[in-house]
Amino acid sequence: MRILVTGASGFVGQAVVKQLVQGGHDVWAGSRRGEAVGAARGVKLDVTDPGSAQRAAGQADPEAVVHLVGIIAEAGDQTFERVHVEGTRNVLAATPRGARYVHMSALGAREDSGSRYSSSKARAEALVRASGLDWTIFQPSLIFGVGDDFFGRVLRELVSKAPVVPQIGDGSFPFRPVSVQDVAQAFARAAGSRTGLHGTFTLTGPEEFTFRQLLDLELGALGKRKPIVPVPLPLMNLAVPLMQVLPKPPITRDQYAMLKEGNTAPNEPARSTFDLPMLRLQDHLPQIVQAALKK
């Protein structure tokens, strides 16, 4: 099949493109710069520009579209509303009628969320469901793999930069991280067939961890031993808004809201529907942090 992937040069995008190419598909890798990704042809695609989305779709003439573009934090005019909601609207409008459409959302997406990130993801989902296309929506948890942002950068910096490791609250917030290989396989199988048609699937890994356990795992992968010191939530509630004056705050308001909610869900029915291998975080974390340290 001819398949157009948005956000193809990103962490998840590269893994999805690789899976699709290995499946024998004719893949067009959409990104702002239009660079080739692996064996996929590059095409310029800015999802916030309706004309750009239409031109990319016209060039690729796709039988399926995989929409992966998303941001974790807002910067300038790259807001959650513009990227997640308007970007999805533009990609949906450019997708040929009759084409398969596979959408990257996020675990915890809901309109009434205290996180603007999560609520924008929910509004994008609503557009997908109302599109009239043959759609599938995936809601991944934290995604791990070499080159990821959370385990390779955020958590690594948190446990490395100070003599003690700050733990938010009692550290009991639950998480169920999922491998980028599992995520890529789910997207590739949905795009290349009618599997999971009109379904919304949570993508989570085989095991659940508390935030405290993730800190311990990260320390172990780095070969470090440090005391972990709880930071009471009332103090964090005061500190997080003050951090927003920094050029790159260590945690944004939205990330803090999502952290307190946790990020977990059962791994069925995605595991069985898409025959996912369910790779374990602890088997891959040492490779992730060592690759990050070499950068």
Side-chain angles (χ1 to χ4, degrees):
M1 293 174 63
R2 293 184 308 279
I3 300 178
L4 173 62
V5 180
T6 76
S9 61
F11 167 60
V12 175
Q14 292 180 56
V16 171
V17 166
K18 183 177 180 180
Q19 282 273 350
L20 289 170
V21 169
Q22 288 176 346
H25 299 292
D26 177 13
V27 184
W28 290 76
S31 66
R32 283 187 164 195
R33 291 181 294 183
E35 68 266 36
V37 175
R41 285 176 285 185
V43 58
K44 286 188 176 182
L45 173 53
D46 178 354
V47 301
T48 65
D49 178 351
S52 175
Q54 291 287 349
R55 288 190 294 273
Q59 188 174 347
D61 188 24
E63 297 166 276
V65 172
V66 176
H67 182 38
L68 302 175
V69 172
I71 56 173
I72 297 298
E74 295 177 313
D77 64 356
Q78 297 297 293
T79 64
F80 296 136
E81 183 69 23
R82 187 170 185 229
V83 175
H84 295 161
V85 183
E86 294 307 316
T88 296
R89 192 190 309 277
N90 294 337
V91 173
L92 289 169
T95 300
R97 301 301 96 176
R100 192 79 166 85
Y101 178 91
V102 187
H103 185 78
M104 169 75 89
S105 185
L107 193 60
R110 67 177 197 276
E111 289 273 8
D112 63 349
S113 172
S115 159
R116 291 181 300 116
Y117 169 88
S118 296
S119 62
S120 71
K121 285 287 191 177
R123 292 195 299 279
E125 285 188 11
L127 293 175
V128 174
R129 295 189 181 97
S131 67
L133 296 169
D134 287 340
W135 55 266
T136 298
I137 295 171
F138 288 111
Q139 299 173 327
S141 180
L142 292 172
I143 302 174
F144 66 85
V146 172
D148 77 49
D149 189 61
F150 185 77
F151 294 99
R153 184 186 66 82
V154 175
L155 211 59
R156 176 176 59 83
E157 291 181 355
L158 181 66
V159 304
S160 297
K161 285 192 170 181
V164 298
V165 179
Q167 171 189 285
I168 297 174
D170 63 4
S172 64
F173 318 116
F175 293 88
R176 203 176 182 108
V178 62
S179 164
V180 70
Q181 287 97 326
D182 283 300
V183 173
Q185 182 165 310
F187 273 89
R189 291 190 172 177
S193 70
R194 296 181 68 80
T195 304
L197 189 65
H198 295 159
T200 300
F201 297 88
T202 59
L203 286 177
T204 59
E207 297 175 64
E208 184 172 287
F209 304 92
T210 65
F211 183 63
R212 171 59 181 258
Q213 288 172 325
L214 292 181
L215 293 176
D216 285 330
L217 284 173
E218 192 83 5
L219 282 168
L222 287 164
K224 294 180 179 293
R225 297 185 66 180
K226 291 184 179 183
I228 297 176
V229 179
V231 181
L233 289 181
L235 182 57
M236 286 297 302
N237 293 341
L238 293 173
V240 169
L242 296 176
M243 294 178 188
Q244 307 314 302
V245 302
L246 300 172
K248 288 186 178 181
I251 185 169
T252 67
R253 286 188 178 93
D254 280 280
Q255 289 167 340
Y256 180 53
M258 290 187 287
L259 179 66
K260 290 189 293 182
E261 288 183 0
N263 203 248
T264 187
N267 58 27
E268 287 285 351
R271 183 193 63 78
S272 56
T273 301
F274 302 99
D275 191 25
L276 304 180
M278 291 286 102
L279 302 182
R280 302 193 324 154
L281 172 66
Q282 55 268 51
D283 294 336
H284 296 267
L285 195 53
Q287 182 186 10
I288 293 168
V289 297
Q290 290 307 315
L293 288 170
K294 292 176 182 177
K295 287 186 177 180

